[in-house]
Amino acid sequence: MTSYLIDVLLVVALVVTALRCGRMHKELRALRQTDLAEALVDAEVSLNRAAEAIVAARHEGVDTVRQLERQLVEARRVTAELSGLVGRGEASPAAEAGVDPYRDFFAAAQDRLHASLAR
């Protein structure tokens, strides 16, 4: 009697398993008809494009940072130089010697003026 009960339970389990397998087979067939493979290929292509764009953006970002660092170093150097000049109140060497830097220019202009009036 116990053996019949176990046999009946095993047959019921086998029938339920067969029904579930048939249903799963139908679902797989429906998935194949919806071009799932094509959708997966399109998704892979899109992901590859996105990855390439990220790599390119990173490369450009690194180049930009390096260029900005170079410009920052140059700006600091110029700032230090200008601070030094302003701090010292440095003027041209001719002004320090007490010589007017425009003296020669005005002398030449005056000579030309006298020459044109002498004619």
Side-chain angles (χ1 to χ4, degrees), residues 17-33:
T17 303
L19 291 173
R20 292 292 296 158
C21 286
R23 189 171 186 182
M24 188 170 40
H25 179 69
K26 287 179 184 179
E27 289 176 5
L28 286 173
R29 198 171 1 152
L31 283 176
R32 284 189 201 127
Q33 291 174 353

Side-chain angles (χ1 to χ4, degrees), residues 46-111:
S46 297
L47 287 173
N48 287 337
R49 286 182 186 161
E52 290 171 3
I54 289 172
V55 169
R58 180 185 175 275
H59 187 307
E60 291 173 2
V62 168
D63 288 344
T64 303
V65 167
R66 287 182 183 154
Q67 184 178 7
L68 286 173
E69 286 175 349
R70 284 192 299 268
Q71 290 178 353
L72 184 61
V73 167
E74 178 66 18
R76 286 182 179 154
R77 184 191 63 77
V78 169
T79 301
E81 184 179 329
L82 287 174
S83 295
L85 289 174
V86 168
R88 286 183 286 181
E90 201 170 280
S92 67
E96 289 178 3
V99 177
D100 185 11
Y102 299 108
R103 180 175 181 204
D104 294 334
F105 173 76
F106 288 124
Q110 188 176 13
D111 290 343

